[in-house]
Amino acid sequence: MAVLNLSRSNIIRLIFIGIFLIVIVQLFNLQILSSQYKKLAEDNAIYPKRVYPNRGIIFDRKGKPILNNTILYDLTVTPAQVKNIDTLEFCQLMEIDTAEFRKRINDARFKNGPVRPSVFEDLLPPAQQAKLEENIYKYPGFTLVERPVRTYPYNAAAHIMGYVGEVDSNILRRSNFFYQLGDYAGRSGLEQYYEKVLMGQRGIQYMIKDNKNRIQGHYEKGVYDTPAIAGRNMRSYIDIEVQALAEKLLSHKIGSIVAIEPKTGGIIAMASSPNFDPNELTGPYKQKNYNKLVLDVSSPLINRGIKGMYPAGSTYKPLGALIGLDEGVIDPSSHIGCGGAYYGCNRPVKCTEHWAGHAASLRLAIAHSCNSFFSNTFRLTVDNPAIHSVRNGLTKWKDYMTAFGYGHRLGVDLPSEDGGNIPDTVAYDKEYRGSWNSCTMVTLGIGQDKMLVTPLQIANGICIVANKGYYYTPHFIKGIEGETPEDTVLNKFRRKHAVLTHIPDDVYNVVIDGMEDVTVVGTAKHITKIPGLNVCAKTGTAENKRVIDHKVLKLKDHSLFVCFAPRENPTIAVAVIVENGGFGATWAGPMAYLVLEKYLNDTLRADRQKEVERIANTNLMPSYLPRLQYITDSARAVAWFNITHDSAVVKKYWRKPHVPDTSGQSREQKPQTIMNAPREKPKRVKDSAVKEVPGRTREKT
């Protein structure tokens, strides 16, 4: 019995020892070998906080920051950590309802996973951020993250700078998921074009949290933190004071001003109107402001400097003269008798100049902008017997226009540039079934017909004239901070394009003489001069017709002006277009002169300051805009009703506008007119109510 009892006791001891060893081994495994529970513990106690870098700053040519950075806060959420919070209290603090709360949590879980932080609400107003900072410990899973955002000290250059916004699914895919949800990237302008230079590199900080979700400091004193690397700064050719002046001059108008340094292609200013304050697209109210701008039919978000396509009008004539001289179809003494119209074709090409002698030479024809002379020059160019056919003539003329930078994108350092249109034989074959001649498109000789150009192209074309045959691709950025040979993004802007240097200088001088005469005895002679400065210019006036409510209406002419100065050593070329502005010397010309004076003298005379105020306070906005806004808004309302069957939005359009009944009396539009509209898939609203119709060009002395 004793032996048996001893064995049993040993067995029991062995069992206990075995269990103890198993526990010891498992503890060793869990605490030393395995990292599973360590990771879980760290996940509960350590919060990886993303650190967003400051984006690079863009400076103007004098070293002034056009944009800068400030700090706001994003509220981020990690869905898996949101437990046991007072949802109602949190929603009251965030000024949202519980349905919106659940939606945002589910969206974060779906888009970024349950254990990765996502933006719950970005760019909090300072007051809301302060309240959250006091109470964030109550809401596990939520964290405040610093976010550098842009500020614009001059409230200028919105179209040039562009804006920064949160990346979407398309950007994520295009970047091969280099970006993460919650990251910001340039969405337009220089911010988008130079994103890789400006963005910097995000960092990460590992923070310790206590059992109440409060941040206690850096994990391991920051040994494992990765610092954020700020984006690189850039120097530009922009003169921010000239830019601000150009934008002010375009107040209450539709149009654009572009100023270029001819010898480098550096863009000094590019103003587009209607404009907007760039600070509206940063900060907590950016989405609300963006939606408002998108719905405005005057299109304030469009940069008309690179996307506005207009007939070149008489600003084309210096180029037409150079082509004619180079082809040998005209010479400096060429002339035409003009009594107010060109009758060489079946339809007259009218001109407001009709006094004898105003087109007695090429120089006079440029100075007084004779339509007859340049219509005839165009015909002589494309009908040139040495080229054997009008088809070959038009093709060669188009080659010249391509060399002048018309009809294609120039490659400016902004996204979404439009190329304009210079027609070719294909376009006329399609329209006239191959049966056409030089009279078919004779108004190309005065910058009309199918010719469409952007203000940037007009400015660049006159730079070629000023440089006597060459240009550099127009661009804004002069240099990058810490630039190395690997930084190739600016290389293409430093290559000289000698497109028309085969034309002798004396030929250019003939045309430049005529352009100087424009400001002395010609169509721009009444514009107030800048003392001691010889300006070479060309006015332009394009007729403006639009289809409004299925009717062709003659609206006020577009006002165009292009110039460069000083003649002896051109340092600036300016192109201006003012829609509905009348003659070229009425509005566009004075605006160009003010830009010249501000840039060349770095100041404006006292009497010129008054002229700035006069121009800026003049409203030239088209009268059809309210009607177009009504048509567009009501179409959107109907589209919304067709989707949702919610009549709340369309109700305000039921009683507008008054429509005539069969008896000729005015009656109000009935609700069922809209309510009974066919319920079909909504289509994108097109600007069908208002269309532009090509017109003729006129000039005034």
Side-chain angles (χ1 to χ4, degrees):
M1 285 295 292
V3 174
L4 291 175
N5 289 336
L6 181 61
S7 284
R8 192 179 298 158
S9 64
N10 287 336
I11 290 170
I12 292 172
R13 288 191 187 96
L14 289 173
I15 291 172
F16 275 106
I17 291 171
I19 293 172
F20 180 74
L21 289 173
I22 291 171
V23 171
I24 293 298
V25 170
Q26 183 63 10
L27 288 173
F28 180 81
N29 175 58
L30 292 176
Q31 296 186 30
I32 305 300
L33 301 180
S34 174
S35 60
Q36 177 184 359
Y37 288 94
K38 179 182 178 182
K39 186 176 186 308
L40 290 174
E42 287 179 349
D43 285 345
N44 286 329
I46 300 174
Y47 169 68
K49 180 181 178 182
R50 262 188 272 180
V51 181
Y52 294 103
N54 284 324
R55 290 179 69 86
I57 298 172
I58 300 176
F59 296 92
D60 85 339
R61 66 193 304 120
K62 297 176 183 176
K64 299 175 182 177
I66 302 172
L67 48 72
N68 219 320
N69 297 305
T70 189
I71 296 295
L72 290 178
Y73 284 82
D74 290 346
L75 179 64
T76 64
V77 61
T78 305
Q81 297 177 6
V82 180
K83 299 174 182 177
N84 304 320
I85 71 169
D86 188 335
T87 305
L88 184 60
E89 181 185 66
F90 180 84
C91 289
Q92 289 175 345
L93 189 61
M94 294 300 300
E95 299 177 358
I96 60 175
D97 56 30
T98 53
E100 178 66 16
F101 173 85
R102 288 191 294 271
K103 178 181 179 299
R104 294 189 189 185
I105 294 293
N106 290 335
D107 285 347
R109 189 185 301 272
F110 174 75
K111 293 178 180 178
N112 214 19
V115 295
R116 298 176 66 184
S118 301
V119 175
F120 185 85
E121 185 160 328
D122 65 344
L123 306 180
L124 300 169
Q128 192 174 45
Q129 177 259 323
K131 292 179 183 177
L132 278 167
E133 207 157 31
E134 293 176 2
N135 297 280
I136 197 71
Y137 70 92
K138 299 179 183 178
Y139 311 115
F142 289 93
T143 309
L144 290 168
V145 178
E146 288 184 357
R147 169 81 71 180
V149 296
R150 293 302 206 186
T151 60
Y152 303 86
Y154 292 92
N155 296 344
H159 293 102
I160 301 171
M161 297 297 111
Y163 68 95
V164 176
E166 187 175 352
V167 297
D168 56 23
S169 56
N170 291 328
I171 295 177
L172 290 175
R173 284 194 297 269
R174 287 199 301 268
S175 71
N176 198 23
F177 295 93
F178 168 79
Y179 293 102
Q180 299 176 13
L181 284 177
D183 286 353
Y184 275 29
R187 303 301 296 270
S188 68
L190 296 178
E191 294 275 21
Q192 180 179 342
Y193 192 92
Y194 292 102
E195 168 66 10
K196 291 183 179 179
V197 177
L198 294 168
M199 65 180 290
Q201 183 177 319
R202 62 177 174 266
I204 191 166
Q205 294 177 346
Y206 294 97
M207 313 299 292
I208 291 288
K209 297 185 294 184
D210 64 12
N211 61 343
K212 291 186 177 180
N213 201 43
R214 293 175 295 197
I215 300 294
Q216 298 300 306
H218 290 269
Y219 174 66
E220 294 291 340
K221 298 182 179 180
V223 171
Y224 300 104
D225 293 354
T226 302
I229 300 175
R232 297 156 70 190
N233 300 333
M234 298 194 299
R235 293 172 292 111
S236 74
Y237 289 96
I238 300 169
D239 187 317
I240 192 60
E241 293 184 1
V242 174
Q243 175 72 27
L245 171 64
E247 293 182 9
K248 183 173 183 177
L249 292 170
L250 285 171
S251 299
H252 315 300
K253 303 167 188 68
I254 296 180
S256 178
I257 298 175
V258 177
I260 302 178
E261 188 176 78
K263 287 182 170 54
T264 64
I267 301 176
I268 299 163
M270 180 183 286
S272 177
S273 182
N275 196 9
F276 62 95
D277 183 346
N279 289 297
E280 291 180 352
L281 295 186
T282 186
Y285 306 109
K286 68 180 190 309
Q287 191 59 51
K288 179 181 178 182
N289 293 332
Y290 179 81
N291 292 340
K292 180 181 177 181
L293 293 169
V294 166
L295 296 177
D296 189 339
V297 296
S298 67
S299 303
L301 290 174
I302 291 179
N303 183 354
R304 288 172 168 82
I306 59 171
K307 297 192 72 66
M309 293 196 292
Y310 304 95
S314 294
T315 62
Y316 156 80
K317 290 175 181 176
L319 313 188
L322 281 170
I323 296 170
L325 288 168
D326 193 43
E327 286 297 291
V329 297
I330 61 171
D331 59 44
S333 62
S334 294
H335 59 277
I336 195 170
C338 175
Y342 175 66
Y343 295 101
C345 296
N346 293 332
R347 55 190 172 116
V349 180
K350 295 183 179 180
C351 179
T352 54
E353 294 286 10
H354 52 79
W355 52 274
H358 75 274
S361 68
L362 172 60
R363 184 169 176 172
L364 284 169
I366 294 173
H368 299 290
S369 197
C370 179
N371 283 353
S372 297
F373 185 95
F374 289 98
S375 297
N376 189 60
T377 299
F378 174 78
R379 290 195 65 206
L380 292 173
T381 301
V382 298
D383 287 336
N384 187 353
I387 305 177
H388 306 301
S389 75
V390 67
R391 302 181 71 87
N392 293 339
L394 183 61
T395 299
K396 189 163 187 180
W397 174 83
K398 181 178 171 65
D399 290 342
Y400 275 104
M401 298 307 294
T402 300
F404 277 115
Y406 285 23
H408 61 91
R409 295 176 181 175
L410 292 170
V412 65
D413 49 353
L414 290 177
S416 304
E417 178 192 5
D418 282 345
N421 181 63
I422 297 297
D424 56 13
T425 57
V426 175
Y428 289 107
D429 284 343
K430 182 177 180 180
E431 184 171 352
Y432 297 100
R433 299 182 181 180
S435 179
W436 50 268
N437 56 36
S438 60
C439 280
T440 306
M441 73 286 292
V442 65
T443 52
L444 284 174
I446 56 173
Q448 292 284 161
D449 197 66
K450 297 180 185 296
M451 184 188 296
L452 293 173
V453 296
T454 66
L456 178 65
Q457 290 172 334
I458 296 175
N460 183 71
I462 218 65
C463 282
I464 295 174
V465 178
N467 292 333
K468 298 179 180 176
Y470 72 87
Y471 77 98
Y472 289 87
T473 300
H475 58 290
F476 290 95
I477 299 304
K478 185 176 185 179
I480 300 171
E481 180 183 51
E483 191 172 348
T484 66
E486 288 72 31
D487 292 317
T488 60
V489 66
L490 295 179
N491 287 354
K492 72 172 186 175
F493 302 119
R494 293 164 178 166
R495 286 196 292 268
K496 184 177 181 179
H497 303 284
V499 287
L500 293 167
T501 51
H502 70 276
I503 301 177
D505 284 2
D506 60 341
V507 173
Y508 278 103
N509 287 333
V510 171
V511 174
I512 292 172
D513 286 341
M515 293 182 66
E516 185 175 5
D517 286 349
V518 168
T519 67
V520 179
V521 298
T523 53
K525 67 180 180 181
H526 296 299
I527 298 176
T528 302
K529 303 300 183 288
I530 304 171
L533 185 67
N534 296 322
V535 178
C536 301
K538 186 69 197 75
T539 56
T541 306
E543 286 192 351
N544 175 23
K545 295 179 181 179
R546 288 182 181 267
V547 178
I548 301 178
D549 290 331
H550 309 292
K551 296 179 181 178
V552 178
L553 297 182
K554 174 69 174 69
L555 303 175
K556 197 170 183 180
D557 299 334
H558 294 329
S559 175
L560 296 93
F561 195 84
V562 65
C563 62
F564 63 84
R567 171 183 172 152
E568 299 75 20
N569 181 30
T571 56
I572 182 174
V574 182
V576 182
I577 181 163
V578 181
E579 295 189 26
N580 311 287
F583 291 106
T586 303
W587 293 107
M591 293 162 75
Y593 264 75
L594 288 165
V595 170
L596 288 177
E597 181 172 350
K598 175 63 178 175
Y599 178 73
L600 294 172
N601 296 341
D602 201 28
T603 187
L604 290 174
R605 293 164 287 162
D607 60 319
R608 307 309 291 151
Q609 292 284 3
K610 295 179 181 178
E611 177 71 353
V612 170
E613 297 302 323
R614 181 188 74 84
I615 294 174
N617 292 328
T618 302
N619 190 338
L620 299 177
M621 294 296 286
S623 59
Y624 61 76
L625 282 177
R627 171 62 180 160
L628 178 57
Q629 188 72 60
Y630 175 86
I631 292 170
T632 306
D633 288 346
S634 60
R636 291 191 187 107
V638 172
W640 178 252
F641 172 76
N642 288 336
I643 296 171
T644 64
H645 311 309
D646 180 3
S647 62
V649 180
V650 297
K651 281 182 178 178
K652 63 180 179 179
Y653 299 103
W654 286 356
R655 298 183 180 278
K656 298 177 182 179
H658 288 284
V659 294
D661 60 18
T662 54
S663 65
Q665 299 296 320
S666 177
R667 61 178 175 83
E668 292 179 346
Q669 186 174 355
K670 301 296 183 183
Q672 55 266 31
T673 305
I674 293 178
M675 300 294 288
N676 294 336
R679 292 173 184 168
E680 54 185 15
K681 291 183 179 180
K683 299 178 181 178
R684 186 177 179 182
V685 177
K686 294 184 178 180
D687 195 1
S688 59
V690 180
K691 297 180 181 178
E692 189 167 0
V693 178
R696 297 190 299 275
T697 293
R698 298 185 295 157
E699 289 294 342
K700 183 178 181 180
T701 304

